[in-house]
Amino acid sequence: MNFKLVNIRLIQLWRELQSLGIIRALLIIFLGAAITVAFNMMFYSWLYGGIATAVFAVMLMSVHYGRMDKVFVNTHLENPYTVFLTEYLLFTLPFTLPVLFTPGRLLFFVMIAIVTLIPLMNSKFKRQRTLQFLGRFITINNFEWISGLRKNYMLLTISYLLALVFCWVKIFPLFLIWIISATITSFYTESESLQVLYQHNGNASSFLKQKMKTHSIFLLILIMPIALLNFLFNPDYWWIIMLITAVQVAVLNFAILFKYSVYEPSHKTDANSVINALVAMSGLIPFLLPLPVLMCLRNYFIAKDRKSTRLNSSHRT
């Protein structure tokens, strides 16, 4: 097996944790441990174990499809398939290996099969030519959605169509709503330049509130047809549908606030992706459902202060 890329990833992860500070790093470790435990608890039921396996497959496929280093790996490293396979196996084993000690242990081998198949996917799409019409309907101020939809349109389209087709099922469409929402949080991993940020009128508070309001409306427009259809077929589950929808809005707002709480001009950080993914996954765990709201409250003031500081420093220069 080729461990070169794994070593690079470990170094990158260590640097990202150091840049976050000890409190945030410990929070990530705690969330990761809680999600690992909750993930494995799902395999005590075949139904929830199947859902967890589907979550695992979709997220790993999304990671592989969204990788920006595939060209480099395929061009410069020997045996690219082994490189991808080694990385995915080592980084997923902490989640999958404990499944062997649950009643759903057979699903462990399903997940291993998924890990071995996904690196075979070839996703050399010319993304710059896709969905060019989006600019007619979404203003440039909401560039995260324009860029994110173009990069993730395939995963979002498949998830959305599956949710519509299976809208009569009790839980499955809500799980797909979560996948759609979790994918959308990846739109906020890259910061705009200071010049673009400076073009927004108003103070930091009004800027953040307007962005959260606008993007929450975008999300609701996207997921409400699924939620309403699911409610028509399962009216007794109305409170679960409302709760899941509200949590997804909170997760989206957290992704926005966290982006600006660690804002660096024209910078993309892996820490954003990791924390966004962890907070999004908390939306699947009952005792962690309040977490996105609490994280929003915490990061709102940090994001407001950081944006104000950036704009003030720009004025001085």
Side-chain angles (χ1 to χ4, degrees):
M1 288 189 175
N2 193 325
F3 292 94
K4 292 181 180 179
L5 195 60
V6 172
N7 290 333
I8 294 173
R9 295 294 182 216
L10 289 174
I11 293 172
Q12 290 175 334
L13 180 60
W14 176 250
R15 289 177 178 173
E16 291 292 346
L17 288 174
Q18 286 182 316
S19 66
L20 288 173
I22 187 169
I23 295 178
R24 288 180 178 173
L26 289 174
L27 177 61
I28 290 178
I29 294 172
F30 169 76
L31 286 176
I35 289 168
T36 301
V37 172
F39 179 77
N40 282 273
M41 290 295 292
M42 296 180 73
F43 289 88
Y44 283 85
S45 162
W46 280 101
L47 172 62
Y48 291 110
I51 292 175
T53 303
V55 171
F56 175 84
V58 170
M59 294 193 70
L60 188 58
M61 183 173 63
S62 178
V63 167
H64 184 70
Y65 175 72
R67 291 182 67 136
M68 304 300 293
D69 62 349
K70 287 197 291 291
V71 174
F72 172 82
V73 173
N74 288 319
T75 304
H76 298 284
L77 298 184
E78 185 179 353
N79 199 347
Y81 171 79
T82 304
V83 173
F84 290 130
L85 178 61
T86 302
E87 184 179 0
Y88 294 155
L89 277 175
L90 291 179
F91 283 105
T92 58
L93 277 177
F95 293 95
T96 60
L97 195 59
V99 175
L100 282 172
F101 304 97
T102 69
R105 60 180 60 89
L106 290 178
L107 292 173
F108 166 80
F109 300 100
V110 175
M111 289 187 286
I112 293 299
I114 291 169
V115 172
T116 59
L117 290 174
I118 284 180
L120 296 173
M121 294 172 54
N122 186 3
S123 55
K124 295 179 181 179
F125 296 106
K126 297 181 178 180
R127 292 176 180 167
Q128 67 274 15
R129 297 183 180 179
T130 60
L131 305 182
Q132 291 295 314
F133 64 88
L134 286 175
R136 302 176 187 174
F137 303 98
I138 303 176
T139 64
I140 192 62
N141 290 338
N142 305 303
F143 65 91
E144 297 98 338
W145 276 70
I146 297 175
S147 174
L149 289 173
R150 286 173 178 169
K151 291 179 180 178
N152 300 280
Y153 74 94
M154 182 170 291
L155 176 61
L156 289 171
T157 300
I158 292 173
S159 301
Y160 203 86
L161 290 177
L162 284 173
L164 292 177
V165 170
F166 293 98
C167 64
W168 53 275
V169 180
K170 290 181 179 180
I171 298 297
F172 188 57
L174 302 181
F175 159 67
L176 291 169
I177 284 179
W178 174 82
I179 288 181
I180 292 169
S181 174
T183 303
I184 290 172
T185 62
S186 70
F187 296 1
Y188 303 94
T189 57
E190 187 170 358
S191 300
E192 64 268 41
S193 67
L194 196 58
Q195 290 76 14
V196 172
L197 188 67
Y198 183 69
Q199 291 176 2
H200 297 284
N201 296 321
N203 57 34
S205 179
S206 62
F207 166 78
L208 291 172
K209 289 178 181 178
Q210 182 60 40
K211 184 173 280 283
M212 288 190 292
K213 176 183 176 182
T214 302
H215 291 202
S216 294
I217 291 173
F218 286 168
L219 178 65
L220 289 172
I221 290 174
L222 191 63
I223 67 176
M224 281 308 293
I226 302 171
L228 290 173
L229 286 171
N230 191 244
F231 167 73
L232 290 176
F233 285 100
N234 305 284
D236 294 340
Y237 279 66
W238 65 268
W239 63 276
I240 298 178
I241 297 171
M242 290 185 64
L243 180 62
I244 292 295
T245 302
V247 169
Q248 303 320 307
V249 172
V251 169
L252 172 71
N253 286 327
F254 165 76
I256 295 171
L257 293 171
F258 184 70
K259 169 188 170 180
Y260 290 105
S261 68
V262 295
Y263 174 81
E264 292 292 341
S266 304
H267 179 67
K268 181 176 181 178
T269 173
D270 293 334
N272 290 42
S273 302
V274 173
I275 294 180
N276 285 343
L278 290 173
V279 174
M281 290 184 71
S282 71
L284 294 176
I285 305 170
F287 68 87
L288 290 179
L289 286 178
L291 182 64
V293 176
L294 296 176
M295 295 293 284
C296 281
L297 294 174
R298 177 187 179 277
N299 282 274
Y300 172 75
F301 298 101
I302 299 174
K304 184 175 69 171
D305 292 342
R306 191 168 185 84
K307 181 177 184 295
S308 298
T309 301
R310 282 292 180 180
L311 291 179
N312 289 337
S313 64
S314 175
H315 284 305
R316 288 195 295 269
T317 56

